[in-house]
Amino acid sequence: MLAILAGRDGNFFFVRSILLAGTLSLATFFGRPTRDARALVWPDVPDRVERALASADPAARRNAAHELQTLGPARGSPLVLRALSDPDEDVRLAAADSAIRLRVMAATDIVIPWLNVKEPRPKKKACEVARALPNPRAVAPLARTLGDPDPEVRQAAAEALGSSTSKDAVAPLLGRLDDQLPAVRIQVVNALARLRDERAVVPLVGKVQDASPDMRQAVARALGELGDLRASQALLLQLRDANNDVRREALQSLGRLHAPDAVDAIAPFALERTPQLRLAALTALGRIATKDAVRVLIAALGVADDAGGGLERTPVRDALVTAGAAALPQLHALLEGQASSHVATSAAWIIGELHASTEAPTIVAAMRRGTLPVAAALRALSGLGGVDSVGVVLEFIGDANPAVRAEALRAAQKLLDPARPDGRAVEPIAAALRDPRPSAAERAALAILLGRTGAPRAAIVLAELTNARDPALRLAAIDALGLLGPAGADDALLDKLAHADAQVRLHAAVALADAGGAKARDVLLAKLEAGDEIDRSVVWTALAGILSRAATDQAIARVARALDLAAGPERDAILIALGRAPLASATKKLAAVARSADADDRRAVATMLAARAGDADALGLARLLLGDSEASVRAQAAWSLGTIGDASVVASLEGLVRGSEIDVAVNSAAAIGRIAVRTKSPDTAARTLCPRLADTRSYVRANSLAALALSGARCGDGAVERKALSDDPSDAVRAAAALVLARAAQPSADDKRALDRCATDDHAGMVAHRCRNAPKPPVRVHAVEVYVIAEGKTTPLPHTAYAIELADGLLHGGTADRRGAAVDPVAPDGDLVLRRASALAR
């Protein structure tokens, strides 16, 4: 699989998948042409800033205080603490901003006395620091500040108390519910909602008819977040409020409470003409998910914005998906009855989204009767999975209706899996290829389907198609041969390695990496040794995959000789091939290269050790490289230990997570999580990684959470993970926190409420989606290379920092090799998301 991914900084990224093809999603990734991921400021900057902080000129000190946040926590934190005591107020305020950015926890103790000064600016800034960096010693001073004459200071104090997580903050906040200004009252309500203390429920119920509509809306929201059913009657009262925003918030909160007694009152809103009220009502009914709530939702199918009968999502469909298994009996009854085609389409769509595989016969029967349109049935079957539906889907891949053909192809792509060969599909697909009706794009999709059958006899048809005139069909046939795996198609693919089109050569190399055997191995090695005019880069790409399956000591010796003669970027390609060969002779050669004076060589070796699980010598080599003098080598060694390491390396990795080198710390956190999974020791992950959730660096926090999610570990009662989900400023951290809560073996009621809030309230769509549908950890792995290419250029950028989020949720940080490539020999199958590499330093 090949793709070009664009980044907003002007770099784009060429991705080559060497084994089982995963999918890729577009995301922001900022490359930097720097050798070391730590090189974010010029070396003289910290000394210059420190000198400026000691200047007699207040203006120089102010500028320096603003610049502190660029230094990173290790160098910047001590200087921040010094600047917080500067005699100049503006210097102190700028230092407070830097303290927040660098998460200097000790800053809160220093700024607490600012709450006692007369001027409002320092008091507000002290509240901001206390909000961002909670400290139990700040609760009492903040409570006193709730009585400050300045309303903005009172607001800031209430917000800080809401972030404190302290039960001692509840009583003083309740005492300010009658503040004369609505803005202050609203901030008090928001703070009480964040503290999640049941003592706030009754006082808030008393405020549902406050004179301010904004206040009433805040109260409605808070009552839902508190999750106490005692509030349901007050929220029902708010459904009669004159303000639509208040009614909408009350509907959402009744849904959060899963209030069964609210269904009859919510039902009229399900057909509301005001879109915001209708959406809130449908969402609430989906969350309540009682039999009566589902009945109301079923009645809303096929009307209003669900009347089109299309295959796109609609609010009522989403609501029934939220209701989950509780909706299936009534959906089943619809399809067995005489529902209209629009209603049947919606019912089938929902069943498909619920992956209710037992309903496949119901879907097929409704389609055969004519109740359910064929395209809708095929869309549903694609979501249900299961090999039993393949035969039905294949009936329609040559259908006269283009819309039906498109859905059949889509369904077949999802249902066929080359890891589970299905020879039944070969003949129908081959017949469809001979039909003149499919478009060029459809013919290419059919060729890919032949590969997905996993049936060796499909190779004959595909080999012929590699000579097709249509470029898209030719490339699809080549890719499909790779999907088939070893099926005797070496000759057809070897022929394409000499093609004039570089794209054809690359696709053929990737396919050979997946499917080539001993014949291709010997031919390619001979071409390299003979000095033929060939594209050496694609030859090494092909050999890397072939050697992972068909290595011999003789072949390794030939590759080792080529390495001894190679220089520059080709050395990395050869080391990848050596690293993927599962033989002791290859490990021996890698060990020799690990002693090289060239850090690029050592980094390549450290990277490829991840592919050598179960090799004791490789484990020893990874331990050695974990102490390398070059940070980028240590980062890759740490990452590889996540795959090949055991409990004996956890202590070393724990020390590196606490260290100042960001890419090493990020990868070490990931490694601890993966080791905990293999050794079935979630307690180890919790002990080592829970303290890191207070780390100043967002990617360390994110990877610690993702590693906890992978291992099934939790931090105490889960409060710290829930706080990260609701409060952390980093999207990556909140997304990782969602994984922890969603994958918990026994999620608590607080976990479910936190995910529920996130699914509707988080401003980042990716985070909200993950709270609704957290992916399960992938089972399969494949090798991946990512190339970083500057916009307008054709040459990848060597030694560029990268950060890649893998399908298991872990972030892999590092430095690109001499070719400008980032390599992971055992990446989990699924989406790759390219993250902002500069965030490694934050």
Side-chain angles (χ1 to χ4, degrees):
M1 175 196 59
L2 309 168
I4 298 293
L5 299 164
R8 286 183 301 182
D9 65 338
N11 289 342
F12 61 92
F13 307 89
F14 169 70
V15 180
R16 174 188 300 170
S17 179
I18 306 177
L19 283 177
L20 295 176
T23 57
L24 297 165
S25 56
L26 184 64
T28 305
F29 177 93
F30 286 76
R32 295 193 315 279
T34 173
R35 185 179 184 85
D36 191 329
R38 297 169 295 163
L40 297 170
V41 295
W42 292 107
D44 65 332
V45 169
D47 293 335
R48 175 177 57 76
V49 171
E50 186 170 6
R51 288 194 300 272
L53 282 176
S55 170
D57 181 4
R61 298 201 306 277
R62 289 172 204 149
N63 291 335
H66 282 293
E67 206 170 353
L68 284 172
Q69 59 191 272
T70 69
L71 302 186
R75 189 68 188 271
S77 297
L79 299 179
V80 163
L81 295 175
R82 183 194 308 176
L84 285 172
S85 300
D86 194 276
D88 184 89
E89 182 178 279
D90 288 332
V91 174
R92 296 195 300 273
L93 296 179
D97 288 332
S98 294
I100 293 171
R101 179 67 179 272
L102 295 176
R103 296 177 66 88
V104 184
M105 302 303 293
T108 305
D109 280 322
I110 296 176
V111 303
I112 287 174
W114 298 4
L115 295 172
N116 298 320
V117 302
K118 290 184 178 181
E119 290 298 317
R121 274 206 316 161
K123 287 188 283 192
K124 286 193 291 183
K125 188 62 68 176
C127 291
E128 290 177 23
V129 173
R131 174 185 57 79
L133 309 170
N135 183 326
R137 289 183 292 276
V139 172
L142 287 168
R144 291 192 294 271
T145 307
L146 286 174
D148 195 272
D150 189 301
E152 291 186 0
V153 173
R154 298 200 301 276
Q155 282 182 258
E159 188 176 8
L161 285 169
S163 297
S164 70
T165 72
S166 172
K167 298 297 184 183
D168 294 336
V170 175
L173 284 167
L174 290 174
R176 297 304 305 184
L177 275 174
D178 292 319
D179 193 282
Q180 60 183 348
L181 286 182
V184 178
R185 297 200 300 275
I186 289 169
Q187 194 58 256
V188 169
V189 169
N190 292 340
L192 288 167
R194 293 183 69 185
L195 290 171
R196 317 273 190 261
D197 193 295
E198 62 181 12
R199 288 175 291 171
V201 174
V202 173
L204 286 175
V205 164
K207 292 295 180 181
V208 295
Q209 293 182 306
D210 191 274
S212 165
D214 291 338
M215 175 66 172
R216 298 197 302 274
Q217 183 181 354
V219 169
R221 181 184 180 86
L223 288 173
E225 292 187 352
L226 288 170
D228 194 315
L229 276 171
R230 289 179 295 169
S232 63
Q233 291 302 312
L235 291 167
L236 289 173
L237 178 65
Q238 286 191 308
L239 292 183
R240 299 197 292 269
D241 198 283
N243 185 286
N244 274 350
D245 288 334
V246 176
R247 290 193 288 171
R248 173 178 54 80
E249 206 68 68
L251 286 166
Q252 291 178 342
S253 288
L254 286 166
R256 290 191 182 102
L257 294 179
H258 303 280
D261 59 343
V263 172
D264 290 342
I266 296 172
F269 290 93
L271 299 175
E272 252 282 348
R273 292 184 178 181
T274 305
Q276 61 174 346
L277 293 179
R278 173 176 160 79
L279 176 60
L282 294 173
T283 302
L285 291 166
R287 288 174 173 168
I288 294 171
T290 61
K291 185 176 179 179
D292 288 340
V294 171
R295 174 182 48 77
V296 175
L297 291 171
I298 291 290
L301 291 176
V303 299
D305 45 13
D306 194 57
L311 297 178
E312 65 281 349
R313 61 179 60 251
T314 66
V316 67
R317 292 180 184 182
D318 284 340
L320 282 162
V321 170
T322 299
L328 288 175
Q330 295 186 50
L331 293 169
H332 176 92
L334 272 181
L335 290 175
E336 285 201 328
Q338 297 299 317
S340 70
S341 64
H342 288 180
V343 172
T345 293
S346 292
W349 188 95
I350 296 160
I351 288 171
E353 287 291 304
L354 291 173
H355 310 298
S357 57
T358 57
E359 292 296 321
T362 307
I363 297 290
V364 175
M367 180 188 70
R368 301 292 191 206
R369 290 197 316 272
T371 303
L372 178 63
V374 175
L378 294 172
R379 174 64 67 90
L381 291 174
S382 73
L384 300 184
V387 296
D388 293 340
S389 299
V390 171
V392 176
V393 169
L394 291 176
E395 291 179 30
F396 299 98
I397 58 174
D399 196 88
N401 185 332
V404 172
R405 286 202 307 272
E407 285 301 326
L409 287 169
R410 180 181 183 274
Q413 288 274 11
K414 296 188 73 172
L415 296 176
L416 288 172
D417 182 351
R420 298 194 299 269
D422 191 341
R424 298 174 302 166
V426 175
E427 281 69 30
I429 297 171
L433 276 165
R434 293 191 294 269
D435 191 313
R437 286 178 298 187
S439 65
E442 288 173 334
R443 289 172 65 78
L446 286 165
I448 291 294
L449 283 183
L450 276 177
R452 294 194 66 81
T453 66
R457 69 175 184 274
I460 299 172
V461 180
L462 290 170
E464 294 176 0
L465 292 176
T466 61
N467 296 313
R469 290 185 178 182
D470 177 37
L473 179 57
R474 184 169 59 233
L475 291 178
I478 292 170
D479 292 344
L481 284 172
L483 288 173
L484 278 180
D490 287 14
D491 288 335
L493 294 173
L494 286 168
D495 178 64
K496 295 301 175 285
L497 280 185
H499 199 278
D501 187 335
Q503 192 175 22
V504 172
R505 296 197 302 271
L506 185 53
H507 278 256
V510 173
L512 276 169
D514 289 344
K519 180 178 181 179
R521 176 199 67 208
D522 295 339
V523 169
L524 294 176
L525 285 172
K527 285 180 177 294
L528 289 168
E529 292 167 343
D532 291 0
E533 291 187 7
I534 55 174
D535 186 339
R536 296 178 68 87
S537 66
V538 298
V539 170
W540 283 116
T541 292
L543 275 171
I546 293 170
L547 290 174
S548 70
R549 296 182 306 277
T552 65
D553 288 333
Q554 182 183 16
I556 295 303
R558 297 168 74 179
V559 173
R561 286 194 295 271
L563 178 65
D564 292 339
L565 297 173
E570 187 169 343
R571 288 184 65 82
D572 285 315
I574 299 173
L575 286 168
I576 289 172
L578 271 175
R580 297 192 59 196
L583 297 180
S585 55
T587 305
K588 184 176 180 181
K589 183 61 180 178
L590 291 173
V593 178
R595 295 191 293 271
S596 169
D598 190 334
D600 287 319
D601 281 355
R602 302 195 306 276
R603 182 171 58 247
V605 171
T607 298
M608 297 312 299
L609 291 175
R612 313 188 74 75
D615 186 333
D617 291 335
L619 176 57
L621 195 54
R623 285 175 175 274
L624 175 68
L625 293 173
L626 197 62
D628 195 271
S629 59
E630 172 71 24
S632 64
V633 178
R634 295 195 294 276
Q636 294 298 350
W639 184 263
S640 292
L641 281 169
T643 303
I644 68 173
D646 55 26
S648 66
V649 302
V650 170
S652 298
L653 292 169
E654 183 181 5
L656 293 174
V657 177
R658 296 195 302 265
S660 60
E661 293 156 340
I662 178 64
D663 47 354
V664 180
V666 166
N667 290 354
S668 296
I672 291 172
R674 286 184 168 173
I675 291 171
V677 171
R678 288 200 313 281
T679 59
K680 299 180 180 179
S681 54
D683 290 346
T684 296
R687 176 183 58 79
T688 57
L689 297 177
C690 288
R692 302 274 57 80
L693 301 187
D695 199 285
T696 60
R697 299 160 295 183
S698 63
Y699 277 12
V700 174
R701 301 196 302 277
N703 249 20
S704 297
L705 284 163
L708 290 169
L710 202 62
S711 64
R714 297 301 299 269
C715 302
D717 64 357
V720 66
E721 300 100 295
R722 292 190 291 273
K723 184 172 176 58
L725 178 62
S726 62
D727 295 352
D728 200 283
S730 166
D731 292 354
V733 174
R734 297 197 309 281
L739 289 180
V740 179
L741 272 58
R743 290 179 182 170
Q746 294 181 321
S748 67
D750 287 338
D751 289 341
K752 293 175 182 177
R753 280 195 291 270
L755 287 169
D756 196 34
R757 285 190 298 271
C758 162
T760 56
D761 299 345
D762 199 283
H763 65 272
M766 177 269 292
V767 179
H769 178 74
R770 185 169 283 183
C771 287
R772 288 191 296 270
N773 303 290
K776 295 180 180 179
V779 176
R780 302 174 187 169
V781 298
H782 63 289
V784 169
E785 293 180 56
V786 180
Y787 287 80
V788 186
I789 306 173
E791 184 178 17
K793 305 293 182 180
T794 58
T795 306
L797 298 173
H799 305 129
T800 300
Y802 65 81
I804 302 174
E805 182 179 340
L806 303 174
D808 60 4
L810 293 174
L811 292 162
H812 182 186
T815 303
D817 64 19
R818 286 166 284 203
R819 303 167 302 157
V823 178
D824 190 336
V826 285
D829 193 28
D831 289 353
L832 296 177
V833 181
L834 308 180
R835 294 292 185 194
R836 185 193 297 254
S838 57
L840 284 170
R842 296 178 181 175

